[in-house]
Amino acid sequence: MDWEKLLSKRRLNKSNASNECDIRSEFHKDYDRIVFSSAFRRLGRKTQVHPLSNNDHIHTRLTHSIEVGSVGRSLGHNVGSFLEETSKLPQGIQAQEIGAIVQAACLAHDIGNPPFGHAGEFAIRHWFKENGDKLALQSKCERNDFEIFEGNAQGLRVVTNIENNYGNGGLRLTFATLGTLIKYPWFSDNALAESKGKFNFFQSEKTIVQDLMRELGLECSNNQQYLRHPLSYLMEAADDICYKILDIEDALELNILKFEDVSIIFNNLAGIENDYYSDIGDEFSSRRRVSTIRSKAIDNLIKKVTNIFKSNYEDIMSGNFSGDLISRMEGIEKRGIDEAKRITNSNIFLHRRKIELELGSYETLDRILSAFVCAANEVKRGQVSFKSQRVMDLMGVNKFTDSMSYHECYLRITDMVSGMTDNHATHVANQLLGRAL
């Protein structure tokens, strides 16, 4: 891989001309474009882990993304300094710009996620699998786009196709930032998509993906699974650091866990073998008590991940690195990560209130998808009922037409559904049931 290509400032459907009076780098502009987008703003009412929480301290997709961006910027700065010190940065690129690229990608890493967290993803997949006989999809790739619906693929579609410049480059981010955003560089018909339940490319973005990967020098011989951008590992690590720590912090706030349950985990993540780090006393809330340990844990993990990236630099740059950076953690930090995963799976994800709300999300999205897919099928058959016409009217200018393929019609629907907040999805489902009259 070549950093000259990997740090491309080219933008989708836009000339390379820039305002000479603007002191921002092209990558700082990416950050601003994401922050001021409607899709990013809507993350404020989308579930991170706990659906429809009334507690103002609980993370939403928005606060999570901002925090991931902060960690990603630090990781990017560290790696940028390493590249600068070893004379690997192209001329005209500064170390801090690497931080800006990673931060921008981190901000957008959840921008395509549907309402109700991962339960929303599974609910969409479930509906399309259960209703396959009602769909007119031909190829395996077309079917998998919906039966393995993926927030990461939807996110790439949002920033390259939907947001701001609809069908004409989306947010028109730099190719460097787009490459950094991609964790799973394959299409939905790839064997990895079926085994992992993860992919980054819908069939609809095929031309964009081919152009992007060619520009970045990430092409692969089979043209199905591409090489990963080196900076995408930092974006992924920033996300891993945040959700492993902050999911536990939210559970403390909701009294799902107690301080004594997790204090040793935070000490391990902070690299501390013995006593609690700066415990301010049990007269304070668990959230207040854990805050000082949390900051030290994040700082320690940033340093560890930076060193792992440096140690595996040659494999990463040759495309031979497998897995993720966090999985290479060793020692006391690895014990902390393993225990954080155990307590998250056994306590947080199985909490009764969370399960109840997630089951409700299945019913909510089932109602919406049933109504809109029925309308799409009627449009394609040329026999549109009054109800389906009114359902289509809810889509505004993004409604489907009979000239579109079934695949494109259904994509318009998942675009709409994944763009909904938890509150709006609940409201639309209630409208369709007549409860909002």
Side-chain angles (χ1 to χ4, degrees):
M1 299 184 202
D2 178 3
W3 283 109
E4 285 280 358
K5 290 186 174 183
L6 292 169
L7 300 179
S8 170
K9 297 178 182 179
R10 183 184 157 198
R11 298 180 183 276
L12 282 176
N13 296 67
K14 190 177 186 299
S15 69
N16 291 329
S18 60
N19 186 350
E20 294 181 358
C21 298
D22 197 335
I23 63 172
R24 297 174 299 165
S25 76
E26 294 301 315
F27 309 124
H28 286 99
K29 293 176 186 176
D30 285 344
Y31 174 93
D32 294 343
R33 291 179 184 212
I34 295 165
V35 164
F36 284 95
S37 69
S38 297
F40 183 72
R41 192 179 313 129
R42 290 195 297 272
L43 295 178
R45 286 187 175 247
K46 287 190 179 185
T47 295
Q48 172 59 22
V49 172
H50 304 281
L52 298 170
S53 174
N54 292 320
N55 188 315
D56 290 340
H57 290 121
I58 300 306
H59 287 84
T60 64
R61 287 285 178 189
L62 182 67
T63 50
H64 169 73
S65 297
I66 292 171
E67 290 170 351
V68 172
S70 179
V71 173
R73 182 186 62 224
S74 296
L75 286 169
H77 281 174
N78 289 354
V79 168
S81 296
F82 162 70
L83 296 175
E84 190 172 62
E85 291 164 5
T86 53
S87 302
K88 293 180 173 67
L89 279 183
Q91 187 174 3
I93 298 291
Q94 299 177 349
Q96 64 177 2
E97 292 183 90
I98 304 300
I101 294 170
V102 179
Q103 183 180 25
C106 287
L107 279 186
H109 84 283
D110 274 348
I111 206 166
N113 280 38
F116 310 116
H118 288 299
E121 272 183 324
F122 295 133
I124 293 172
R125 295 178 185 182
H126 176 80
W127 190 93
F128 279 98
K129 287 178 182 176
E130 291 294 305
N131 294 277
D133 58 329
K134 301 176 185 177
L135 309 175
L137 296 170
Q138 303 302 317
S139 68
K140 179 180 181 180
C141 192
E142 286 188 350
R143 292 192 303 274
N144 283 4
D145 279 353
F146 302 104
E147 292 183 6
I148 321 176
F149 178 83
E150 234 290 331
N152 288 289
Q154 184 65 31
L156 187 69
R157 179 169 163 79
V158 168
V159 299
T160 61
N161 210 341
I162 298 173
E163 192 70 13
N164 288 9
N165 300 283
Y166 193 94
N168 194 25
L171 289 177
R172 295 178 176 173
L173 304 178
T174 62
F175 277 26
T177 295
L178 291 177
T180 303
L181 181 60
I182 296 168
K183 287 169 62 176
Y184 310 106
W186 52 80
F187 288 89
S188 64
D189 59 345
N190 189 291
L192 287 171
E194 297 181 339
S195 63
K196 294 176 177 290
K198 299 288 186 182
F199 65 94
N200 244 114
F201 310 139
F202 289 130
Q203 189 67 22
S204 53
E205 277 64 62
K206 187 171 185 177
T207 301
I208 291 174
V209 168
Q210 290 173 337
D211 185 24
L212 173 66
M213 293 309 195
R214 189 183 308 113
E215 173 78 10
L216 295 173
L218 297 174
E219 288 182 299
C220 232
S221 58
N222 59 19
N223 285 327
Q224 286 194 3
Q225 182 182 341
Y226 295 90
L227 298 174
R228 276 187 73 173
H229 195 293
L231 299 184
S232 72
Y233 291 101
L234 301 181
M235 182 269 295
E236 180 181 36
D239 186 29
D240 288 345
I241 289 171
C242 285
Y243 77 70
K244 279 180 171 57
I245 291 176
L246 300 173
D247 286 359
I248 292 176
E249 189 174 13
D250 283 349
L252 285 172
E253 181 66 24
L254 293 171
N255 295 317
I256 297 172
L257 297 174
K258 300 183 185 308
F259 180 80
E260 292 73 22
D261 297 330
V262 302
S263 56
I264 188 64
I265 296 176
F266 278 76
N267 277 280
N268 286 344
L269 295 176
I272 299 170
E273 289 279 3
N274 299 310
D275 296 335
Y276 300 152
Y277 177 77
S278 187
D279 185 7
I280 61 175
D282 57 11
E283 68 271 22
F284 292 92
S285 68
S286 294
R287 175 175 52 82
R288 290 281 300 278
R289 293 177 70 189
V290 84
S291 61
T292 51
I293 315 176
R294 177 202 62 208
S295 61
K296 191 167 183 68
I298 291 175
D299 182 62
N300 183 51
L301 291 176
I302 287 172
K303 292 174 183 175
K304 294 293 182 181
V305 167
T306 301
N307 290 334
I308 292 170
F309 185 94
K310 291 179 183 178
S311 299
N312 292 277
Y313 179 77
E314 296 302 328
D315 282 342
I316 290 172
M317 293 301 292
S318 64
N320 292 321
F321 185 83
S322 60
D324 57 85
L325 298 176
I326 289 289
S327 66
R328 303 297 179 97
M329 203 74 70
E330 297 177 344
I332 188 172
E333 290 83 8
K334 184 180 188 308
R335 293 206 302 272
I337 289 169
D338 290 344
E339 183 60 18
K341 183 183 295 185
R342 184 199 66 77
I343 203 168
T344 298
N345 291 337
S346 61
N347 292 68
I348 299 174
F349 291 161
L350 294 180
H351 189 258
R352 184 176 182 85
R353 177 59 176 160
K354 176 175 169 59
I355 293 171
E356 290 171 349
L357 288 169
E358 288 180 344
L359 288 173
S361 73
Y362 270 70
E363 295 302 315
T364 297
L365 297 185
D366 179 276
R367 175 64 56 180
I368 295 171
L369 288 168
S370 294
F372 282 88
V373 170
C374 176
N377 289 342
E378 289 185 12
V379 167
K380 290 296 293 180
R381 290 195 298 265
Q383 297 176 332
V384 184
S385 66
F386 176 80
K387 178 184 176 181
S388 290
Q389 182 59 55
R390 301 309 287 164
V391 165
M392 286 175 56
D393 289 340
L394 290 176
M395 299 182 71
V397 296
N398 295 324
K399 68 179 65 174
F400 29 75
T401 66
D402 58 2
S403 64
M404 297 177 183
S405 67
Y406 278 98
H407 183 257
E408 188 174 356
C409 289
Y410 300 154
L411 277 176
R412 290 287 180 101
I413 295 169
T414 51
D415 288 344
M416 178 195 67
V417 172
S418 62
M420 290 179 174
T421 62
D422 296 9
N423 305 68
H424 186 57
T426 303
H427 172 70
V428 171
N430 283 335
Q431 282 184 313
L432 294 170
L433 285 169
R435 293 175 182 166
L437 295 177

